[in-house]
Amino acid sequence: MKFRLVLLETSGNQDYIFGTNKLRENVGASEATFRAGTTLVSHAIKTVFGNIIPKEPRDLNQWISEQTPLENDAGRHFEVVLATSGKALLLIREDGAGEDVCRRLVSEWSRLLLERVAGVDGTGVFSEPFGMDEERDGKPAVAHAYESLHGLFEEARSLRTSPVGRFPALPIVEPCRTSGLPGEDFYKVGGRAVLGSAITLTKRWYYEDAIKRFRHLLEPSRDGVIAEFGVFDVEKTMKRLIKRWDPDWLAVIHADGNGLAKIFLNFSDHVRTVEGEQSIEALSRTILRRYRDFSQALDETTRKAFRQAVESILDELGDTRLALVPLVVGGDDLTVLCDGRLAVNFTRQFLMSFEACFDDDSNSSKVLGEIAQVALGAPRLGMCAGVAIVKPHFPFSAAYGLSAALLRRAKVVKQICDLPCSAYDFHIMYDSSVTNLDVIRSKLDIEQGQTRLHARPYVTTSLSKLNKGRSWAALHHDERLVACARSLQPIDEDHRPPLPGAQTHRLRDSLRQGCDIAEGFFDLLKLRYPEFLWPEEQLFFEEDGIRVTRFLDAMEAAGICQ
């Protein structure tokens, strides 16, 4: 019996979701991408095979888990291995017409993308036929087929025109207000008709569906934890948010998992190590099951960590409302918009909650931990995050770009520490004239690079869990930042700080005059203000021959953390 694998996957998701400064469209774009790998796959299957399968993601995931293996069900011609945000993998029975069926499935799914989620860049490919009992290049044929799909995907994608090319501006057409693409139709904003492109209209159309899904993210949590900040009422998008909440700062938080590429690159080898000796046919089925279970467990763990972080912040605030808008929550990705005062605390709680999920006895932690132990050397995964804190009117797309750059900075822990290590980097955009992170950080290196005025990124993983890079992580651990930030925060009911604001800023200015001057002034302040209890012996510590201080980090964190 022969089979084929079909991969249906979207590309350029981040650019699609965050290519506009309109929050309503960001939220709707996230939902459009999500439905491309779930609901639209269900529709395509119904058209091609005539089988009706669940369209709602929660029901679909349950249905996928309960499927009978295709090789054991002669009455069925397909099996959904995975259907998640922007990606679906299907197993198709060959039966002599497998290629035609695969082509029809890819064509139908592509047609649905064009009709229902304009602008989403999707590509479908399928493998050569293989048998579950076959072996190729020293591995099960199903693993070889899956790996070949990614090469075919990149080739097919490179031959396709960008979705933006589907909307030519000639002959001259009035442009959309937000995307700049040719106008397609009008939508209402505050009772006024506004011209929008097909992509803009699609994003706005899926906004309500996104709200419903985001509500479910917090089940079985308390009601109303996500306030009107954006999830329940964003008719006037960012302007209304700023008017309603009047935040001093807004933050874009972007998080991404560590080591997932290494896991999926040799996934079949990891499964073989975990499962032990099996027949090729049994191992082929196990690989498909493990791939499905791993992907679903990763998605569940991210959502669980998000819920726990929300609950933790609510407990700290003593409130039932939270100024936070989830934009992407699933897989190993998280992107949220929130009040800037909550950003660092929320990020810390999310990263710690994500790792804490591997300390319980849940099925998800076991599924992920077994593979991670083989691939990464520890029964857990790590995650990094970038936190861009900006003024409310700062362009959202630029803020997202800054958070992505900060995320890349945080991922330096992958080279220094173990892969299952979590860390975050943050930046407060005081001066919007320079948005390039490399330029911003270069200004914090003084004395010919011998002194660094920041100690970011900060590690949240417990030092006891690390084998590699423990000494570096100890110097850059989040607990040190928290302790230093608290030493600068008010100490009594009058909100009187231990170090007067004028002296704090004088110490900050002295840092740029050199280590010796700053250290001398720092020692003087400790004598003059005994209530100022800096938790470290000195203002600077040494790292690889460079003197580093975390005072500016603590000063910023103390000002925005609640």
Side-chain angles (χ1 to χ4, degrees), residues 430 443-444 446 451 453 456 488 499-515 517-519 521-522 525 532 534 539-540 549-556:
Y430 292 110
K443 295 180 179 180
L444 297 177
I446 63 174
T451 302
L453 303 183
R456 306 169 214 186
L488 297 174
L499 194 63
Q503 301 296 346
T504 301
H505 290 288
R506 284 186 63 189
L507 179 56
R508 179 196 63 188
D509 294 339
S510 72
L511 293 174
R512 295 191 176 277
Q513 299 176 26
C515 294
I517 294 176
E519 285 280 12
F521 186 56
F522 176 71
L525 290 177
F532 173 45
W534 186 253
L539 187 61
F540 288 85
T549 179
R550 70 181 90 254
F551 182 80
L552 292 184
D553 301 346
M555 188 176 171
E556 291 185 350

Side-chain angles (χ1 to χ4, degrees), residues 170-301:
L170 292 176
I172 297 173
V173 180
E174 184 176 351
C176 166
R177 178 182 176 183
T178 59
S179 68
L181 295 172
E184 178 79 11
D185 205 344
F186 291 91
Y187 61 90
K188 291 291 186 67
V189 175
R192 181 167 57 91
V194 178
L195 184 64
S197 65
I199 292 179
T200 296
L201 294 171
T202 295
K203 293 176 178 180
R204 298 182 74 86
W205 171 263
Y206 280 104
Y207 169 74
E208 297 296 338
D209 291 328
I211 291 177
K212 295 176 183 178
R213 182 164 63 90
F214 289 150
R215 287 177 186 266
H216 291 312
L217 277 176
L218 294 162
E219 294 179 355
S221 181
R222 69 188 86 181
D223 294 332
V225 292
I226 299 184
E228 300 164 2
F229 183 76
V231 171
F232 294 159
D233 187 0
V234 202
E235 186 60 35
K236 293 184 178 180
T237 61
M238 193 71 78
K239 290 182 180 179
R240 185 164 183 174
L241 302 183
I242 296 169
K243 181 179 179 180
R244 177 168 302 212
W245 286 86
D246 192 26
D248 294 325
W249 298 95
L250 291 176
V252 179
I253 303 170
H254 183 42
D256 181 65
N258 293 337
L260 272 300
K262 185 174 181 179
I263 288 177
F264 286 118
L265 186 64
N266 298 296
F267 192 79
S268 61
D269 295 335
H270 304 324
V271 172
R272 175 175 280 178
T273 302
V274 170
E275 295 290 339
E277 289 299 322
Q278 291 184 343
S279 66
I280 293 299
E281 186 173 4
L283 182 59
S284 297
R285 169 49 55 184
T286 301
I287 289 172
L288 292 177
R289 176 180 59 80
R290 281 278 186 173
Y291 181 75
R292 171 191 301 154
D293 292 347
F294 188 92
S295 299
Q296 290 181 346
L298 180 59
D299 189 69
E300 180 181 336
T301 300

Side-chain angles (χ1 to χ4, degrees), residues 413-490:
V413 298
K414 295 197 301 182
Q415 284 75 48
I416 300 175
C417 303
D418 304 316
L419 270 177
C421 181
S422 299
Y424 66 92
D425 198 346
F426 69 95
H427 177 71
I428 303 178
M429 183 63 75
Y430 292 110
D431 181 7
S432 59
S433 62
V434 179
T435 59
N436 184 288
L437 186 60
D438 291 334
V439 175
I440 293 171
R441 288 289 166 83
S442 67
K443 295 180 179 180
L444 297 177
D445 290 338
I446 63 174
E447 297 181 327
Q448 289 78 46
Q450 296 304 304
T451 302
R452 185 181 306 132
L453 303 183
H454 76 91
R456 306 169 214 186
Y458 285 97
V459 175
T460 58
T461 303
S462 172
L463 295 178
S464 62
K465 295 181 178 180
L466 296 177
N467 296 316
K468 177 184 174 185
R470 183 179 294 186
S471 59
W472 180 89
L475 293 174
H476 293 265
H477 203 275
D478 169 70
E479 292 177 354
R480 288 181 178 265
L481 174 64
V482 173
C484 291
R486 285 176 178 168
S487 72
L488 297 174
Q489 291 178 329

Side-chain angles (χ1 to χ4, degrees), residues 331-376:
D332 65 327
D333 291 317
L334 172 83
T335 305
V336 300
L337 176 70
C338 70
D339 188 326
R341 294 169 299 175
L342 308 174
V344 173
N345 280 349
F346 176 82
T347 303
R348 294 175 56 249
Q349 293 297 335
F350 172 73
L351 296 178
M352 290 188 291
S353 296
F354 182 81
E355 289 203 343
C357 290
F358 294 92
D359 296 330
D360 58 31
D361 296 326
S362 66
N363 183 61
S364 294
S365 64
K366 180 181 178 181
V367 169
L368 297 174
E370 288 178 339
I371 299 295
Q373 177 68 62
V374 174
L376 309 179

